[in-house]
């Protein structure tokens, strides 16, 4: 029998609430099979049985030489109710609280934990990952977001997912994808982006032989940028000791990147390419990266994607994309930090000097830390979590340069395997007959069939089809429940019809399972305002110049994720996590810093952004 007499009153309260909540059918687990299903998700060497104790485990902790029973993560005791003193004040608080467990938040959290910081991640939903999460239905494991994964190889400096996992002792098994995407475009332009660069260039030039030189020159310039990026050690561009160190060690590469920082891919493509159809093709390539055309896509981001797919390649993690977040969450807890699910942050708490010192949850609980990192979008962070506060000038600038990209409609389907022709590629992009429809709602279709690579994601004899397309919140608001359901069915039917015509005859009759998500679904489950896909330039941007890094105008508050430099994409938000952790670590004394140089660099960067 355990004797709990040594627990203080608040600890007893926490413990009894833990016991009552952690019955086999935990009410936070909406799906009673969730736990076992989640555990069964394959994730390489991170054993599934080692589910983060953050999901409500009890563990023993050493504290000042005494062994005390501590409740981990389901209810970290932060505010001592008796004395009214915060742990932070008594020297026991967290170094950082991360709001949200998207890949950006988890990478920031784990990188800090590895540096010795004590981190608390607060996630609104019941599992980690946000748009890189997963869900399971009827024997299918669906990726919430895209299944095209960069950053998983063993070489170079840009394999940020491999590095993030390695930092916490995890490695995932991956399956190399021979084709990043198969484009089905107007005028029967059908281009496969092969893993091998030469094969891809050969295929593209077979459609545009007269532009061979232009194609090689454009991609050549992309490789110049990619190679410069790949040669740097990637850390915070807001930390002067690192930044100037890199300039000193790799001056040519840094100057190359500085030169391209304010440039867009469309302008560079136009230097070499004249054929309007080929320029439209490059628009489509960029649309995948940024949901806007090439003239609005930063050249650094375009180069990163257009080259990395041939350098590291696209690799799918066995068991699904959700395994990445699951492994990072486990790694975080292994490193002595904590993650708490069903923790909906409603406010960031500022002290009397306007410094961010804590957060309040929708159930009234408060947690305090030296620094607060928000993985919510900047619109949510400054519009909701800091509601009532004056919005800092830098955020006003950001909102002048960037608007919220529309959301998307997603269809997750299970289909009979026979409907797919042999050798079907894993990822497809369909824009049937009109280039001008590229950026319009429902104009183009993204389609992934991850079971082509990993059949374990679906029951035997079945495949997963995940289709998504641009859709705006305005389309779905102000209608009643019945109309909403009928509209979902109608829009999905139209899309299925298009795919039947273009790719898979008989698709409709082969459907075994189907679930449609709208912008409202994405707003609700990803906690992203209007379900937005992320920031999109209001007009032609100056490359990446206007994209904010991680510090904010509020002392102690940092942002991470896709509304920070360099923008959308799992690998991009992983980089923002690495940058953020480095800057925070310097600010809390875990990394070297120079306060004088900090002030100068942050002012300089602030000024540069005003030029965007
Ligand atoms: N193939 C791909 O490249 C691919 C696939 C999937 C996702 N993605 C990318 O991932 C990027 C998004 O990653 P991200 O790191 O910015 O975050 P995210 O939006 O994926 O996750 C944010 C997390 O924060 C949580 N959250 C938000 N507000 C909260 C609050 N107030 N309290 C508690 N929790 C809260 C959400 O529930 C969510 O889990 C997107 O840009 C998308 O492109 C890319
Ligand atoms: C600071 C100053 C001012 C200056 C200095 C100079 C320098 C040094 C600089 C540097 C820089 C850097 C480092 C940068 C970096 C960058 C990076 C890393 C970037 C990255 C990016 C990435 C990206 C963008 C990615 C993306 C991706 C994506 C989005 C994906 C997606 C996908 C999809 C959607 C798919 C599709 C699908 C189908 C088809 C189905």
């Amino acid at each position: 029998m355990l004797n709990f007499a040594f627990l203080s009153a608040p600890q007893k309260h926490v413990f009894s609430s833990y016991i009552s909540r952690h019955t086999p059918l935990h009410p936070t687990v909406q799906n009673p099979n969730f736990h076992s299903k989640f555990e069964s998700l394959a994730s390489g060497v991170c054993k599934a049985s080692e589910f983060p104790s953050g999901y409500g485990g009890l563990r023993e902790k050493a504290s000042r030489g005494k062994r005390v029973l501590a409740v981990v993560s389901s209810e970290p005791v932060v505010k001592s109710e008796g004395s009214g003193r915060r742990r932070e004040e008594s020297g026991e608080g967290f170094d950082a609280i991360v709001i949200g467990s998207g890949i950006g938040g988890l990478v920031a959290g784990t990188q800090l934990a590895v540096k010795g910081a004590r981190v608390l991640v607060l996630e609104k939903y019941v599992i980690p990952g946000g748009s890189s999460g997963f869900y399971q239905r009827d024997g299918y494991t669906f990726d919430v977001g895209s299944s095209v994964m960069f950053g998983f190889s063993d070489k170079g400096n840009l394999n940020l997912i491999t590095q993030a996992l390695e930092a916490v002792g995890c490695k995932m098994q991956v399956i190399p994808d021979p084709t990043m995407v198969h484009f089905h475009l107007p005028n029967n332009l059908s281009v496969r982006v092969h893993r091998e660069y030469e094969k891809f260039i050969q295929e593209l030039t077979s459609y545009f032989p007269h532009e061979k030189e232009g194609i090689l020159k454009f991609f050549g310039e992309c490789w110049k940028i990619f190679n410069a990026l790949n040669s740097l050690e990637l850390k915070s561009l807001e930390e002067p000791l690192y930044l100037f160190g890199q300039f000193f060690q790799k001056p040519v590469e840094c100057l190359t990147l500085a030169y391209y920082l304010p440039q867009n891919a469309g302008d560079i493509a136009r230097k070499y390419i004249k054929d309007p159809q080929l320029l439209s093709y490059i628009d489509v390539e960029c649309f995948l990266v940024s949901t806007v055309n090439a003239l609005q896509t930063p050249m650094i981001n375009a180069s990163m994607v257009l080259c990395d797919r041939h350098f590291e390649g696209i690799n799918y993690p066995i068991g699904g994309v959700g395994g990445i977040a699951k492994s990072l969450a486990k790694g975080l807890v292994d490193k002595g930090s904590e993650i708490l699910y069903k923790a909906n942050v409603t406010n960031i708490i500022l002290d009397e000097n306007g410094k961010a010192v804590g957060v309040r949850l929708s159930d009234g609980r408060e947690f305090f830390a030296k620094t607060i990192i928000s993985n919510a979008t900047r619109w949510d962070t400054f519009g909701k979590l800091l509601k009532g506060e004056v919005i800092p000038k830098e955020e006003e600038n950001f909102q002048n340069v960037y608007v919220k990209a529309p959301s998307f409609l997603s269809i997750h389907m299970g289909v009979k395997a026979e409907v797919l022709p042999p050798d079907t590629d894993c990822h497809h992009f369909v824009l049937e007959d009109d280039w001008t429809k590229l950026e319009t709602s429902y104009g183009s279709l993204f389609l992934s069939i991850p079971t082509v690579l990993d059949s374990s994601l679906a029951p035997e004899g079945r495949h997963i089809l995940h289709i998504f397309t641009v859709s705006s919140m305005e389309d779905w608001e102000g209608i009643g429940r019945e109309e909403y359901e009928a509209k979902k069915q109608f829009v999905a039917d139209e899309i299925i019809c298009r795919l039947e015509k273009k790719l898979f005859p008989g698709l409709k009759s082969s459907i075994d399972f189907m679930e449609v998500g709208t912008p409202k679904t994405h707003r609700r489950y990803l906690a992203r305002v209007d379900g937005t896909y992320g920031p999109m330039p209001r007009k032609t941007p100056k490359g990446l110049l206007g994209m904010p890094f991680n510090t904010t105008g509020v002392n102690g508050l940092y942002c991470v994720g896709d509304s920070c430099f360099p923008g959308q994409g799992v690998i991009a938000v992983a980089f923002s996590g690495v940058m953020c952790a480095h800057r925070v670590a310097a600010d809390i004394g875990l990394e070297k810093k120079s306060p004088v140089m900090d002030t100068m660099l942050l002012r300089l960067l602030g000024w540069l952004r005003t030029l965007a």
Side-chain angles (χ1 to χ4, degrees):
M1 242 335 234
L2 282 172
N3 177 1
F4 301 113
F6 58 86
L7 292 178
S8 67
Q11 281 171 331
K12 273 184 186 148
H13 168 74
V14 166
F15 183 64
S16 62
S17 79
Y18 169 86
I19 294 294
S20 62
R21 287 185 310 105
H22 289 74
T23 53
L25 288 186
H26 186 324
T28 60
V29 180
Q30 289 150 352
N31 172 357
N33 295 327
F34 166 81
H35 210 134
S36 59
K37 284 181 167 179
F38 190 35
E39 291 204 5
S40 71
L41 187 79
S43 74
V45 297
C46 281
K47 281 196 221 106
S49 58
E50 291 164 352
F51 189 89
S53 55
Y55 194 68
L58 274 179
R59 72 174 183 196
E60 285 200 312
K61 257 190 157 180
S63 169
R64 296 202 187 96
K66 271 200 300 184
R67 278 158 69 83
V68 294
L69 193 59
V71 176
V72 179
S73 297
S74 55
E75 300 269 1
V77 185
V78 173
K79 196 166 184 176
S80 151
E81 285 158 20
S83 65
R85 286 180 72 228
R86 299 197 302 252
R87 263 207 189 168
E88 189 208 354
E89 289 165 355
S90 61
E92 288 180 275
F94 296 100
D95 292 304
I97 286 175
V98 181
I99 306 168
S101 68
I103 297 297
L106 284 173
V107 171
T110 45
Q111 293 282 310
L112 275 167
V114 166
K115 293 175 205 284
R118 192 161 169 254
V119 180
L120 170 66
V121 176
L122 298 169
E123 169 54 52
K124 184 176 170 187
Y125 192 45
V126 295
I127 55 165
S131 48
S132 308
F134 72 97
Y135 74 95
Q136 292 177 311
R137 297 275 189 280
D138 294 0
Y140 295 94
T141 299
F142 294 113
D143 294 333
V144 166
S146 156
S147 308
V148 177
M149 283 297 129
F150 292 83
F152 253 126
S153 87
D154 289 330
K155 55 180 183 174
N157 280 341
L158 288 163
N159 55 351
L160 293 171
I161 307 299
T162 304
Q163 289 180 38
L165 290 168
E166 248 169 33
V168 289
C170 288
K171 183 171 172 65
M172 291 182 72
Q173 304 301 320
V174 294
I175 305 173
D177 192 343
T179 313
M180 176 204 166
V181 54
H182 187 163
F183 287 113
H184 309 271
L185 301 172
N187 308 325
N188 293 321
L189 184 60
S190 160
V191 180
R192 276 193 174 86
V193 176
H194 301 280
R195 198 176 181 96
E196 302 79 19
Y197 178 63
E198 286 72 25
K199 209 168 154 191
F200 160 66
I201 291 291
Q202 209 176 27
E203 184 154 331
L204 187 60
T205 47
S206 72
Y207 285 98
F208 304 99
H210 52 289
E211 288 281 18
K212 183 165 182 186
E213 200 187 330
I215 291 173
L216 288 174
K217 283 191 170 152
F218 172 67
F219 278 94
E221 207 152 329
C222 292
W223 278 107
K224 192 160 90 183
I225 297 166
F226 178 81
N227 291 333
L229 267 183
N230 203 18
S231 73
L232 298 188
E233 183 197 1
L234 295 178
K235 288 175 91 174
S236 174
L237 299 173
E238 287 187 293
E239 202 293 298
L241 297 177
Y242 153 76
L243 185 66
F244 298 139
Q246 287 295 300
F247 264 99
F248 188 69
Q249 288 168 29
K250 309 250 174 188
V252 177
E253 289 82 354
C254 288
L255 288 172
T256 303
L257 292 170
Y259 173 73
Y260 285 105
L261 201 65
Q263 305 206 46
N264 296 319
D267 296 317
I268 294 177
R270 277 161 182 75
K271 280 203 312 196
Y272 305 118
I273 293 168
K274 296 285 168 282
D275 186 317
Q277 183 154 239
L278 181 55
L279 288 171
S280 296
Y281 169 81
I282 291 176
D283 279 339
V284 171
E285 286 263 26
C286 288
F287 182 71
L288 257 60
V289 178
S290 58
T291 65
V292 286
N293 59 41
L295 284 168
Q296 291 184 296
T297 302
M299 183 60 180
I300 290 188
N301 284 2
S303 307
M304 165 68 206
V305 171
L306 297 180
C307 299
D308 196 38
R309 64 197 192 185
H310 306 292
F311 178 79
E312 293 194 80
I314 304 299
N315 300 285
Y316 189 77
I318 295 180
V321 168
I324 305 174
K326 185 192 158 199
S327 301
L328 289 173
K330 176 193 171 297
L332 181 92
V333 176
D334 285 351
K335 295 284 167 199
S337 284
E338 307 179 19
I339 182 160
L340 174 58
Y341 298 99
K342 285 211 114 185
N344 178 19
V345 176
T346 49
N347 297 79
I348 292 171
I349 302 171
L350 305 184
D351 70 5
E352 54 285 5
N353 301 316
K355 178 179 186 296
V357 291
V359 297
R360 187 170 306 119
L361 306 194
S362 54
D363 59 12
R365 281 175 294 167
E366 292 179 349
F367 299 103
F368 294 87
K370 290 181 191 155
T371 55
I372 310 296
I373 299 172
S374 177
N375 188 202
T377 71
R378 292 187 106 96
W379 291 281
D380 287 293
T381 304
F382 290 92
K384 285 192 190 150
L385 304 182
L386 276 168
K387 205 166 32 223
E389 302 295 332
V390 180
I391 175 161
K393 188 93 196 97
E394 296 83 346
E395 295 307 316
E396 273 181 18
N397 288 344
F398 168 73
Q399 292 185 18
N400 283 336
V401 181
Y402 292 95
V403 289
K404 285 169 267 167
S407 185
F408 48 96
L409 177 119
S410 58
I411 309 175
H412 286 100
M413 271 202 273
V415 298
K416 291 186 191 138
E418 311 81 86
V419 77
L420 301 187
D423 299 327
T424 299
D425 294 302
C426 181
H427 307 288
H428 301 259
F429 181 88
V430 179
L431 175 66
E432 289 98 337
D433 42 24
D434 183 354
W435 292 106
T436 63
K437 286 195 179 155
L438 176 66
E439 295 170 69
T440 61
S441 289
Y442 318 110
S444 47
L445 305 175
F446 296 80
L447 162 67
S448 286
I449 316 168
T451 38
V452 162
L453 299 173
D454 180 2
S455 61
S456 75
L457 302 170
E460 216 179 316
R462 297 285 183 269
H463 270 294
I464 283 176
L465 259 63
H466 176 199
I467 306 152
F468 52 100
T469 181
V470 173
S471 176
S472 294
M473 183 57 86
E474 299 87 70
D475 264 11
W476 297 92
E477 272 187 326
I479 53 178
R481 189 77 223 165
E482 264 178 37
E483 198 184 332
Y484 175 74
E485 290 302 330
K487 186 168 175 166
K488 282 208 297 192
Q489 190 63 48
F490 176 78
V491 176
D493 281 348
E494 296 259 289
I495 289 172
I496 291 163
C497 233
R498 286 166 64 186
L499 288 178
E500 276 198 325
K501 272 198 204 138
K502 192 75 196 172
L503 296 177
F504 309 125
L507 178 61
K508 191 163 182 169
S509 57
S510 79
I511 298 173
D512 168 52
F513 173 89
M514 184 169 96
E515 201 156 72
V516 181
T518 70
K520 281 180 140 180
T521 321
H522 302 120
R523 177 175 64 189
R524 177 169 173 202
Y525 287 102
L526 305 179
R528 299 173 69 93
V529 59
D530 295 339
T532 178
Y533 183 69
M536 167 175 113
R538 198 178 280 277
K539 26 187 203 216
T540 304
K542 293 220 166 54
L544 274 172
L545 201 62
M547 200 53 140
F549 293 104
N550 307 102
T551 59
T552 70
V554 175
N555 186 13
L557 175 66
Y558 303 77
C559 283
V560 71
D562 61 15
S563 44
C564 301
F565 185 99
Q568 288 103 331
V570 165
I571 190 166
V573 298
F575 179 45
S576 94
V578 171
M579 291 203 295
C580 185
H582 179 203
R583 185 61 257 179
V584 171
D587 289 343
I588 59 176
L590 295 174
E591 291 248 17
K592 275 190 292 184
K593 81 174 219 172
S594 153
V596 178
M597 283 163 81
D598 273 353
T599 316
M600 279 161 45
L601 179 65
L602 293 181
R603 278 208 191 129
L604 173 70
L605 293 176
W607 172 76
L608 280 175
R609 278 195 289 272
T610 63
L611 305 179

